[in-house]
Amino acid sequence: MSHTLFPLRRQRLQRSELAVPGSDPTMIEKAADSAADYVFLDLEDAVAPPEKEKARRNVVAALQEIDWAAKGKTVSVRINGLDTHYMYRDVVDVMEQAGDRVHTLLVPKVGTAADLYMVEALLNQIEQAKGYTTKVATEALIETALGMANVEDIARSATLPGARLEAMHFGVADFAASMRARTVNIGGLNPSYPGDQWHAAIARMVTACRAFGLRAIDGPFGDFKDPEGYQDGARRAAALGCEGKWAIHPSQIALANDVFSPPAAEVERARAIVKALREAEAAGKGAASLDGKMIDAASERMAANVIAIDDAIRAAHG
Ligand code: GLV
Ligand code: MG
């Protein structure tokens, strides 16, 4: 291991993240009682411009009136992008009126580390002015060519003193638009591409996340009538190191929870690996064999990841 090491900044269960338009109070209420680990109340692309102000008021009310943490949820607000005139008031209104009730702000279309710096400077001021003892975290949505070109820099900014960044998300729809990729589907595979056309982008973002201690989350899959397509995409993301995926429809919550929860057999094997290595160690050996396969200290590190996520699920759901 290098002498330079950035441990995971914060473990939060984020297998399923339900996207809820801030303009729809009924959907917000339902989201609070859903099985999603995470909910983000959207002020950005799911809200039409004439609805922006009303959505902001709904979101503030939902944060004030619903105890999201008591319902076992992390609650996040997706603010508008820094290129809009909505963004500053999203931050000011949400933070001044409910800044001690929201856990994270999801910042869309992050293109440079300075975008987060600007949001975080505002957060510092508002939290100080209001005397909050809580500290809201940030999450960056990587969904533009510029954001992907700077993704390592953006992730590295989490290591600066006082930084709030905890996670990065891959926004496949805006990314496709920004790249001028030939598709109008949100997240589906392009049959004319041999493989997954998003593989390289997700892999790059996950690498940046893991290098600097951030959670990596996969974004939306638009066709909610295609549960198999959703789960295939989620499994590919999980194979690359993502620990959760958005649900743009309530039916996708269970699909995500299923894919991102290690099955009992996988957890059992992880525990068996740790046990076998402890026994090998006691016998003075670094490697061992389990069910005919060689295992060593790297196997234990992989097993520890599986056990950590299983522990987090148990802590949240018993
Ligand atoms: C999410 O915001 C996306 O653009 O995919
Ligand atoms: Mg987007």
Side-chain angles (χ1 to χ4, degrees):
M1 215 68 91
S2 166
H3 184 58
T4 304
L5 190 62
F6 300 106
L8 188 64
R9 288 172 60 79
R10 170 117 193 210
Q11 174 82 66
R12 295 193 206 247
L13 202 55
Q14 199 167 4
R15 297 168 301 173
S16 51
E17 175 147 350
L18 182 63
V20 187
S23 47
D24 191 333
T26 313
M27 279 173 83
I28 296 178
E29 244 173 69
K30 282 194 184 145
D33 290 319
S34 74
D37 292 334
Y38 235 85
V39 172
F40 84 76
L41 306 175
D42 196 11
L43 296 176
E44 201 220 14
D45 281 357
V47 178
E51 298 286 296
K52 293 281 188 196
E53 292 188 11
K54 197 179 104 207
R56 214 183 266 140
R57 287 195 296 274
N58 291 342
V59 165
V60 167
L63 291 169
Q64 289 171 340
E65 287 160 19
I66 300 172
D67 191 344
W68 296 85
K71 286 177 180 280
K73 306 229 170 322
T74 300
V75 65
S76 178
V77 173
R78 178 163 74 167
I79 59 173
N80 282 283
L82 275 73
D83 58 324
T84 72
H85 65 84
Y86 302 113
M87 172 262 164
Y88 79 96
R89 192 146 288 290
D90 290 344
V91 177
V92 170
D93 283 7
V94 169
M95 286 303 297
E96 283 195 344
Q97 296 171 51
D100 52 351
R101 313 266 309 166
V102 61
H103 301 124
T104 78
L105 292 191
L106 177 58
V107 184
K109 300 178 182 66
V110 172
T112 70
D115 290 346
L116 290 176
Y117 187 90
M118 192 234 174
V119 174
E120 297 191 359
L122 272 176
L123 294 176
N124 283 343
Q125 293 194 26
I126 299 169
E127 282 176 353
Q128 267 183 43
K130 297 294 292 181
Y132 294 140
T133 50
T134 48
K135 187 171 169 176
V136 75
T138 57
E139 303 183 56
L141 191 39
I142 302 299
E143 53 181 344
T144 60
L146 183 65
M148 194 57 77
N150 288 325
V151 72
E152 291 84 11
D153 252 16
I154 294 166
R156 188 180 290 107
S157 73
T159 65
L160 295 172
R164 296 166 184 253
L165 186 63
E166 277 188 3
M168 296 204 289
H169 301 229
F170 178 60
V172 67
D174 271 302
F175 189 67
S178 177
M179 295 291 281
R180 298 184 176 232
R182 285 281 295 280
T183 181
V184 287
N185 277 334
I186 299 185
L189 291 180
N190 181 340
S192 61
Y193 189 87
D196 178 351
Q197 74 272 31
W198 307 121
H199 170 90
I202 299 180
R204 181 170 177 184
M205 187 198 79
V206 175
T207 306
C209 282
R210 298 314 187 183
F212 296 104
L214 305 174
R215 301 187 302 276
I217 307 298
D218 190 25
F221 182 85
D223 185 354
F224 56 84
K225 298 260 170 59
D226 179 10
E228 286 84 22
Y230 178 93
Q231 284 205 314
D232 286 348
R235 279 191 205 98
R236 287 192 301 275
L240 291 173
C242 285
E243 55 196 87
K245 182 167 175 62
W246 291 12
I248 49 88
H249 186 271
S251 66
Q252 294 179 335
I253 297 170
L255 303 175
N257 286 347
D258 174 44
V259 169
F260 291 99
S261 306
E266 211 175 290
V267 179
E268 229 168 80
R269 176 157 178 91
R271 294 194 194 282
I273 287 172
V274 175
K275 184 166 172 272
L277 284 168
R278 283 295 84 76
E279 284 165 11
E281 211 173 87
K285 293 188 208 140
S289 125
L290 184 67
D291 305 330
K293 294 192 183 81
M294 189 282 283
I295 54 171
D296 67 6
S299 317
E300 182 166 354
R301 286 190 277 275
M302 290 186 268
N305 291 334
V306 174
I307 293 168
I309 189 80
D310 185 60
D311 286 347
I313 295 167
R314 279 170 202 280
H317 298 288

